[in-house]
Each structure stands twice: as C-alpha cells, then as structure tokens.
Amino acid sequence: MSAAAALGPSVAHAAELPEPTLRLPEMPLHDPFIVADRSTRTYFLYTSNVRSMTGVPGVGTMVYRSRNLRDWVAPSVVFTLPEGEIWARQGGWAPEVHRWRDRWHLFVTLHNSSRPLPVPPPNQYGIPAQLPNYMRGTIVASSSSLLGPFVPLDPSRPTPPESFMTLDGTLHVDRSGQPWMVYAHEWLQKIDGTIEAIRLSPDLTSTEGDPVHLFKGSDASWIGEEVPAPSTHQLLPYVTDGPQLYRAPGGALLMLWSTWAKNALNSDGTVGGDYVQTYAVSRSGRLTGPWSQGRPLVREGSGHGMLFRSFSGELMLVLHRPFENARGKLYEVAFKHDGGLRILRQRTDLDGGG
C-alpha cells in the first residue's frame, strides 16, 4: 500500500479553508504531491517554496489547498530550512507528505554544493569526468499537522548513505509493515542512474542494512530506441528520478518514475530532450521485484508524477509540465490487467489544458 493512501485524521485547523483564488495554470509548482485528506475533504498539494507566491524567502516547502482540484487557496509554507542547524544549504526539491504512526512525515530533497563527493571516472563514451558531485539526499521531517511546521528528524545527514548523490526519496511500506525509503541514485554519480531502496527504522530516524538495487535507467529498453548513436553523438547518461509506488488491485506493485528521452548531453553538462512520465511494475508485488518496464505514459516535458484517489473515487495522476516554469496537469488513469497503467483522459476542466 502506498503510504500516501493510508490517510489518517488531521488537526482541526486543517479544515479551515480560506477563499480559493487560484487555478492550476496560475500556480508555479514542480514535482507535485497531493494528499487527499478525507477527514477534512481537502486536497493538499505540496511543492517547493516559491517566494513570489508565499512571501517567504529561502529553501522550503509550500502547500496549496483545494476542495475540488480546480480552485486552490494561495500557498502557505510548511517547512523552511533551519539556518545553521542542518547539513544542507540548497534544494527543497520533490516534497512528499506521508502518514506514518499517527504523524505526518515530509520527505524532501536537499543538497550542499560546498560539500563535494568524489567524481566518478568517465565511461567508454567520455561521460562525465567534469560533472560536479556533492552531498545530496532526502531528509525526513515530522509534524502533527498537514500544515506543519515540519521538523527534521535528523538534521546531521540525509537518510540515504552520505557518500551517495541521491534525490526524490519516497516512503513505501511493504506487506510486512516494514517502512522503506525508495530513491533515485543520480546519473551524475552513476552514469546509468538507478532506483534503490533502503529499510527505515520504525521511527524513520535511521536506516537498517544496506541499500537494495531495484533497477537502472537503461533497463527501460525503449530509451535505447531514442538515444542518438555514439558514433554520431556523445551517448546520453540514463536519468532516473521521481519514484512513487502504488499497489495495483491485483497485488502487483507499480512504480512511477521519470527520465529523459530523445536526448543529448549538452556542452555544459546538462541534459536536453524530452522529459517523460513512465512506470515499472513488480508483478510479484515485492519491492525487490523483479521489475519490468512500461512505455511512457505522458511526454512533452511531463513528469515527476504521483497517483492518488479523488474523493469521488477516480484514480488520478498529477505531474508537472513543462520542465521549466512548470504547472500541474491532472489525468484520470486506470490499471491494466497486468498491473500496468493507462491514461483515460486529461482533466482539462481542472488543469486548464496545455
């Protein structure tokens, strides 16, 4: 079961909703994550803090709220980086909020560009000895309320191993009740980026055991159809980001994740091309797989999505598009018989189209 689906009660003040003044085309957001809180019949959409929207400077997390997925309340800040009390200085990426043991937990990716990590050697195509590696990873912060404030459980380090350059950690609770953090191991460090998992302690404050490899970016065989041949262009490294897990009705485990297709590695070391929303399925229902790769669900600069149930019962996908100056897009989706996912329609009545 997805931790986001295991919704518990929230505090009373979460039910108090100011007048909605925004719709999705007017709402800057990247890496959206929605909690559908049934106790207050309110959707909470979390994203990185945008100062022009909140008036609050610095790294943090903000939340928009809505009763109907169309009309949204101006955002409020639920987490800010505690100055001088935490290892990180930048980031605030990919915030997610999950219910665990009667509290809400924020998973958010931070980094510190002044704390370098060893640079990997170039591979056979010359990628990418000059690219920077520095401390990056997801932390966990806790609150009694969906509106925060969220306080880091361990401000001294990210949750995954400190020597790994990682991002986009998410919570998954397996069938035995064991909590895991599933995260992306950066292509900047791996060249062929991976999705990995590590067991969490029952209070989410520490990890247990070694990371477990789930799959690598190049396992999506369709990517090879779209990458320029190395004889004509420097080969693209394989990007993995945005994992989110959801249990299919038949017991299969589905993982949304995002990558780049039809790409090239730009001269400045950035990745160019088409950001896409894709997925993988563990038909065994186990986090450890084996994982089989589906084909992209949405293209055209779309990705870092997550699944949730609307209050009227539809299975919904929210993602951002385009990659730069992103806005939220909503789709109704359905599971296929094999545990895979298909798009039914874009909800242009909610997200304004585009």
Side-chain angles (χ1 to χ4, degrees):
M1 178 177 67
S2 164
L7 300 175
S10 186
V11 295
H13 71 263
E16 300 170 4
L17 203 65
E19 185 69 23
T21 58
L22 298 170
R23 292 189 177 178
L24 284 168
E26 305 160 336
M27 295 161 49
L29 57 86
H30 209 75
D31 306 342
F33 190 89
I34 290 178
V35 172
D37 182 41
R38 296 188 180 277
S39 68
T40 59
R41 303 287 292 184
T42 304
Y43 299 100
F44 291 74
L45 192 165
Y46 296 89
T47 188
S48 301
N49 178 48
V50 178
R51 181 176 184 174
S52 63
M53 299 299 293
T54 64
V56 178
V59 173
T61 300
M62 66 183 190
V63 63
Y64 299 98
R65 287 177 287 164
S66 174
R67 302 287 195 201
N68 58 14
L69 294 174
R70 187 192 67 171
D71 305 294
W72 296 84
V73 173
S76 57
V77 172
V78 299
F79 168 76
T80 55
L81 200 62
E83 290 283 342
E85 301 176 6
I86 196 166
W87 60 271
R89 293 292 178 267
Q90 301 97 20
W93 301 345
E96 302 187 0
V97 173
H98 300 270
R99 188 75 174 176
W100 174 252
R101 290 196 165 183
D102 299 323
R103 286 184 68 81
W104 296 101
H105 292 84
L106 170 71
F107 285 51
V108 61
T109 298
L110 305 173
H111 59 262
N112 189 335
S113 57
S114 66
R115 299 181 68 172
L117 297 174
V119 176
N123 70 355
Q124 66 266 39
Y125 300 108
I127 302 172
Q130 78 280 8
L131 296 181
N133 275 246
Y134 46 83
M135 200 167 173
R136 174 180 290 162
T138 299
I139 68 159
V140 182
S142 178
S143 176
S144 62
S145 169
L146 283 162
L147 294 176
F150 288 90
V151 178
L153 298 181
D154 182 359
S156 67
R157 59 178 295 272
T159 299
E162 294 176 52
S163 60
F164 291 3
M165 192 178 189
T166 65
L167 74 168
D168 299 350
T170 187
L171 178 66
H172 172 69
V173 181
D174 68 21
R175 286 168 164 168
S176 71
Q178 169 67 51
W180 297 74
M181 180 180 285
V182 179
Y183 58 87
H185 198 152
E186 281 274 35
W187 70 271
L188 289 164
Q189 190 174 56
K190 298 286 287 184
I191 311 304
D192 192 349
T194 60
I195 300 293
E196 299 170 3
I198 193 164
R199 291 177 180 85
L200 298 175
S201 62
D203 61 5
L204 308 187
T205 60
S206 60
T207 59
E208 299 177 348
D210 296 325
V212 177
H213 173 89
L214 303 184
F215 60 84
K216 58 186 184 300
S218 62
D219 288 345
S221 58
W222 58 266
I223 295 180
E225 302 166 9
E226 304 181 2
V227 173
S231 59
T232 59
H233 200 287
Q234 191 177 40
L235 187 67
L236 178 75
Y238 296 93
V239 175
T240 49
D241 69 23
Q244 190 245 349
L245 295 106
Y246 201 96
R247 184 73 64 184
L253 189 60
L254 180 136
M255 185 193 302
L256 294 174
W257 65 286
S258 292
T259 189
W260 292 82
K262 298 181 179 177
N263 303 325
L265 187 66
N266 299 326
S267 60
D268 63 358
T270 60
V271 177
D274 186 24
Y275 192 60
V276 301
Q277 180 66 68
T278 189
Y279 71 93
V281 179
S282 169
R283 294 186 174 86
S284 71
R286 296 186 297 269
L287 180 61
T288 52
W291 290 91
S292 60
Q293 300 295 327
R295 297 191 72 87
L297 293 166
V298 190
R299 293 178 177 265
E300 299 178 346
S302 307
H304 203 110
M306 61 84 62
L307 298 172
F308 68 98
R309 286 277 178 190
S310 72
F311 297 136
S312 52
E314 295 93 354
L315 182 63
M316 303 290 290
L317 167 68
V318 61
L319 48 73
H320 67 244
R321 183 170 68 241
F323 190 80
E324 302 293 340
N325 195 29
R327 296 294 187 269
K329 303 297 175 184
L330 289 163
Y331 294 81
E332 283 186 36
V333 297
F335 282 107
K336 300 189 290 187
H337 292 303
D338 64 356
L341 202 64
R342 62 189 177 95
I343 300 290
L344 298 179
R345 60 169 176 151
Q346 184 179 349
R347 291 295 304 270
T348 55
D349 57 317
L350 301 175
D351 64 27

